[in-house]
Amino acid sequence: ALAVAMCSMAQGNGKGYEIERDMPLFLDSIKSELTYPLAWGNSDITDFDTWRATARDKMIELMLAPPPRANAYDMKVIAEEKRDGYTARKIEFNLTRYSRVTAYLLVPDGDGPFPAVVALHDHGGHCTIGKEKMIRPFGVDQAVLDDSEKWVRDLYEGQYVGDYLARNGYVVISTDALFWGERGRKEGADGSKFANVAGNFMMLGRNMSAWMTFEDMYATEFLASLPQVDAGRVGCIGLSMGAYRSWMLAALSPVIKAGAAVCWMTTTDTQLSWEHGRESGGFANNHIGIRNYLDYPHIASLACPNAMYFVNGETDKLFQPHAVKEAYATMHKVWDSQGVGDRLRTSLLPIGHEMPLSVQRSCLEFLNSSL
């Protein structure tokens, strides 16, 4: 009788269902309740430093339990290769007390210390490689190299972002996010399993997207600890999920002084809507409960007063230009309110979901001027 009653309640709207296109029929009602009370300008906190500390604390709280920090990095160089103006090293180090990871580390020729950049790889529904999307791999199977080079041709106009930055004087590190590359599934790469893994994390009281951000913060701290690095000049860069990771990292890590984020910025109102569809990134950029306090551009604004560069594409099918402009306007209000409007640069360019050579060049120029 209870089951019959519950079914009758579910069919009370006369449609016989309450989920459409993976969204609840009451989506608009929920969105109308999202007032973002902790956003700068919405919050009753008027001192910027106090606001930023309060908002960061709320973010960290909602990111759930972080992975435990490693007791020591215990870095080892596995292999190295001399390249044009820099040396590529494959290293391993303790990222957390749970995970010892491999990474690529590029170090320019010379004495240093050098400015440094954390190169954050994309999602793309392609998880056979991670760090190899940002730095040209070596000492790998031909299949891995072929995979890497094709990916870079398709999304980065044939140029590895990390190698480009290293040739121009930056120490660069790139690690695999959990689920990608050498940190993938024993059973083999399968992007459709990401939600299952994220769900298992939730059962353990953890958030997989937040786990990624925490690990990015730890990798940044590791990079800043290296003797070749000027710890006061550390930045980050990424495309797509890498861009999301970049502005999240810039928002939450005090080590980051400048960040470049290409093709990931929007508003929840548009990104999750009947007109434009559901957020396709899913659990890779989902922090439980944060929408009750802050939207995407509000979180990114926690990077203020540091330097940030956002690029989005006019023909990027994942992010609607009007929502990008709205998010940009929200962030500009924050930087302008602190008298540092010149430290925020935003561009909406005639590109798709990609990071072509022209954008890489503008990112380099931005990092040069900021770091």
Side-chain angles (χ1 to χ4, degrees), residues 90-113:
K90 190 167 189 181
I91 64 171
E92 62 178 31
F93 69 101
N94 295 326
L95 181 58
T96 69
R97 290 211 300 271
Y98 298 153
S99 300
R100 184 168 178 80
V101 303
T102 56
Y104 283 112
L105 179 70
L106 308 181
V107 181
D109 297 342
D111 296 329

Side-chain angles (χ1 to χ4, degrees), residues 56 236 245-254 256-260 299-300 302-304 306-308:
R56 278 180 171 171
C236 53
R245 295 168 66 191
S246 186
W247 56 256
M248 280 289 296
L249 179 59
L252 296 176
S253 172
I256 295 295
K257 304 306 179 186
I299 298 171
L302 293 172
C304 180
N306 289 333
M308 287 296 298

Side-chain angles (χ1 to χ4, degrees), residues 7 136 144 229 363:
C7 287
R136 189 178 190 276
V144 174
V229 171
C363 287

Side-chain angles (χ1 to χ4, degrees), residues 19-286:
I19 304 294
E20 181 179 353
R21 290 157 52 196
D22 296 337
M23 296 183 288
L25 293 183
F26 42 89
L27 170 67
D28 293 334
S29 295
I30 292 180
K31 289 202 300 179
S32 70
E33 298 167 1
L34 300 180
T35 59
Y36 309 117
L38 195 52
W40 177 250
N42 293 346
S43 170
D44 58 4
I45 302 174
T46 56
D47 177 77
F48 189 80
D49 290 341
T50 302
W51 168 77
R52 187 174 56 183
T54 302
R56 278 180 171 171
D57 286 348
K58 177 56 69 174
M59 280 290 299
I60 296 297
E61 173 191 337
L62 294 174
M63 287 164 66
L64 306 182
R69 294 179 181 275
N71 295 320
Y73 295 123
D74 189 23
M75 185 192 84
K76 288 184 171 56
V77 177
I78 302 171
E80 66 179 33
E81 177 179 271
K82 184 68 181 70
R83 296 182 179 174
D84 183 19
Y86 61 101
T87 298
R89 297 186 177 115
K90 190 167 189 181
I91 64 171
E92 62 178 31
F93 69 101
N94 295 326
L95 181 58
T96 69
R97 290 211 300 271
Y98 298 153
S99 300
R100 184 168 178 80
V101 303
T102 56
Y104 283 112
L105 179 70
L106 308 181
V107 181
D109 297 342
D111 296 329
F114 305 99
V117 174
V118 184
L120 302 154
H121 69 74
D122 60 64
H123 185 309
H126 189 77
C127 46
T128 51
I129 53 174
K131 60 188 178 296
E132 296 83 5
K133 297 177 178 180
M134 303 302 285
I135 292 176
R136 189 178 190 276
F138 66 101
V140 297
D141 293 341
Q142 188 63 43
V144 174
L145 182 58
D146 290 346
D147 190 3
S148 171
E149 291 188 336
K150 182 181 185 307
W151 194 257
V152 170
R153 282 196 305 272
D154 290 346
L155 269 73
Y156 301 90
E157 207 173 337
Q159 179 169 264
Y160 290 88
V161 175
D163 291 77
Y164 175 59
L165 293 172
R167 286 197 303 272
N168 284 278
Y170 289 86
V171 176
V172 182
I173 192 171
S174 191
T175 62
D176 295 316
L178 189 63
F179 196 78
W180 275 267
E182 295 181 90
R183 304 184 69 196
R185 299 173 68 248
K186 177 181 179 181
E187 298 85 356
D190 183 350
S192 70
K193 300 296 184 182
F194 192 85
N196 293 353
V197 178
N200 288 336
F201 264 68
M202 291 170 67
M203 287 187 67
L204 294 167
R206 307 296 190 268
N207 181 301
M208 192 169 179
S209 178
W211 198 270
M212 184 188 304
T213 298
F214 281 124
E215 289 193 335
D216 288 342
M217 293 169 69
Y218 297 173
T220 301
E221 292 163 6
F222 165 72
L223 176 65
S225 75
L226 298 176
Q228 306 97 327
V229 171
D230 181 345
R233 294 190 293 159
V234 179
C236 53
I237 191 171
L239 165 70
S240 190
M241 183 184 78
Y244 172 87
R245 295 168 66 191
S246 186
W247 56 256
M248 280 289 296
L249 179 59
L252 296 176
S253 172
V255 180
I256 295 295
K257 304 306 179 186
V262 181
C263 292
W264 212 119
M265 181 46 66
T266 187
T267 64
T268 297
D269 185 57
T270 293
Q271 199 69 0
L272 199 63
S273 64
W274 297 115
E275 182 180 1
H276 300 292
R278 66 185 181 88
E279 163 49 44
S280 57
F283 287 107
N285 40 251
N286 186 320

Side-chain angles (χ1 to χ4, degrees), residues 356-371:
L357 298 180
S358 59
V359 172
Q360 293 183 47
R361 184 165 54 251
S362 65
C363 287
L364 173 63
E365 292 168 354
F366 171 79
L367 291 172
N368 285 345
S369 65
S370 303
L371 296 177

